[in-house]
Amino acid sequence: MAEGLPVTDSIRIAVASRGELDSGVVVLDLGTGPRTGQLTGLPGALAMALHPNGHVLYLADGIGELLSISLSDDGAPALLGRRPSGGQLPCALAIDPSGRFVVTAHYATAELTVHPIGFDRALEPLAWTREHDGSGPVIGRQDSAHLHHVNFDPVRGTAVVTDLGADRLYEYAFGPDGQPDLVDEVVAPSGSGPRHSVFHPDGSLLVSDELSSTLSRYRRDPDTGRLGRTDTVDTREVADGPDNYPSELVLGLNADIVYVANRGRDTIAVIDLSGPRPSLVQEQPCGGAFPLHLAVVGEQLLCANLESDTIVALPIDAGRLGEARHVASVPGPVWIRPLGTRHGDDGRPH
């Protein structure tokens, strides 16, 4: 059961889970506490995205399928349809800003695939596939290419795809029918393993480096528009301790701070972006084990702790994080998607 959080004002979140006994999507009302709906029996969620209309979720699962899931007015999820993802281990997906198609990154086989979104918001059959190859120096993790994330640039409309296995960032443009066109390939530091990314309002790109336990910042050349790495900062206060693998990263409320989840150390890195170079200013315990995904909701940071089966909230005060408190127990939470306040003027979540 959830413990109500007074600062959320009945904000709903959807949580994708891959528990040992059951997997699915759970919708939680953070203000009032209880679950408002759930869809169970799904084969191991890996990633989730929300359509711009706020009423449909897309879920990547462990058997190589993409699921379209509708959300009712009361938050109850229902299955709209299934489609083969076009590769093995689809680990991230993103919806283009116009809501026309879904782009999926596959970890095991390094395909980038595109599925159009139909009139009913369910996914249509696979339309486009782009294959990738390459490798890196880290044995066992970089023996081949491993696409890990897709992130659309809100200004350019292109998408940056991270390749953990080959230490690459690929930038794609998309035609009206979703056809992907590679416009740039950026080399990341050798052995860094770029995982997830987020665009800053100033146009720079922040990337969590899973294998080097760092955060890298890339800026665009003013003449060519190409991304190039300008800064790197460690996500740990000290290098000693358990092996660490950064996962999700999110910007703070005023974008002067970025939060990075540290799996292994079970902490959240707080990195200040306001100075000439990014600097680690805090490393706060995540209140659980193996923090996988993060979301900023109001003046708090929500964290999905995979191995402790919990969603926790850490209060944000002037960018810094306070002590984590329990929000909900969910088996194997892997992704958090805020859905907005419980009801808008039209009676729909927004």
Side-chain angles (χ1 to χ4, degrees), residues 2 8 28 34 42 97 108-109 214 261 263 272 275 279 284 295 324:
T8 57
L28 303 171
L42 306 181
T109 47
T214 55
R263 296 171 301 159
D272 191 332
S279 61
Q284 178 71 8

Side-chain angles (χ1 to χ4, degrees), residues 265-269 282-288 291 303 305 312 314 321-324:
R265 293 176 67 86
D266 294 337
T267 61
I268 308 296
Q282 185 186 14
E283 189 180 355
Q284 178 71 8
C286 70
C303 176
N305 288 315
V312 301
L314 296 89
L321 296 176
E323 184 177 351

Side-chain angles (χ1 to χ4, degrees), residues 11-80:
I11 290 176
R12 283 180 174 154
I13 63 169
V15 179
S17 71
R18 62 166 189 256
E20 292 184 4
L21 300 178
D22 201 2
S23 299
V25 174
V26 177
V27 177
L28 303 171
D29 190 315
L30 298 182
T32 60
R35 303 181 181 205
T36 63
Q38 60 185 21
L39 180 64
T40 59
L42 306 181
L46 295 173
M48 185 168 59
L50 179 68
H51 190 275
N53 72 5
H55 310 322
V56 179
L57 292 166
Y58 301 102
L59 188 78
D61 70 26
I63 64 171
E65 286 189 332
L66 301 182
L67 282 62
S68 307
I69 299 168
S70 66
L71 295 172
S72 67
D73 288 349
D74 61 4
L79 187 63
L80 276 177

Side-chain angles (χ1 to χ4, degrees), residues 20-173:
E20 292 184 4
L21 300 178
D22 201 2
S23 299
V25 174
V26 177
V27 177
L28 303 171
D29 190 315
L30 298 182
T32 60
R35 303 181 181 205
T36 63
Q38 60 185 21
L39 180 64
T40 59
L42 306 181
L46 295 173
M48 185 168 59
L50 179 68
H51 190 275
N53 72 5
H55 310 322
V56 179
L57 292 166
Y58 301 102
L59 188 78
D61 70 26
I63 64 171
E65 286 189 332
L66 301 182
L67 282 62
S68 307
I69 299 168
S70 66
L71 295 172
S72 67
D73 288 349
D74 61 4
L79 187 63
L80 276 177
R82 300 173 183 262
R83 295 289 184 188
S85 69
Q88 297 178 25
L89 283 183
C91 60
L93 63 162
I95 304 161
D96 87 291
S98 69
R100 294 173 298 153
F101 50 86
V102 168
V103 183
T104 305
H106 293 81
Y107 183 85
T109 47
E111 292 99 350
L112 187 74
T113 60
V114 180
H115 288 75
I117 296 174
F119 180 77
D120 62 353
R121 301 295 184 259
L123 293 180
E124 296 183 346
L126 175 67
W128 304 99
T129 300
R130 292 291 181 268
E131 297 179 350
H132 302 75
D133 56 23
S135 60
V138 181
I139 296 173
R141 295 300 312 277
Q142 294 188 313
D143 299 332
S144 62
H146 296 301
L147 302 190
H148 216 309
H149 196 237
V150 182
N151 183 21
F152 277 91
D153 185 327
V155 176
R156 291 173 172 253
T158 56
V160 171
V161 180
T162 55
D163 185 342
L164 183 148
D167 294 323
R168 293 292 189 275
L169 308 179
Y170 302 103
E171 186 168 8
Y172 279 92

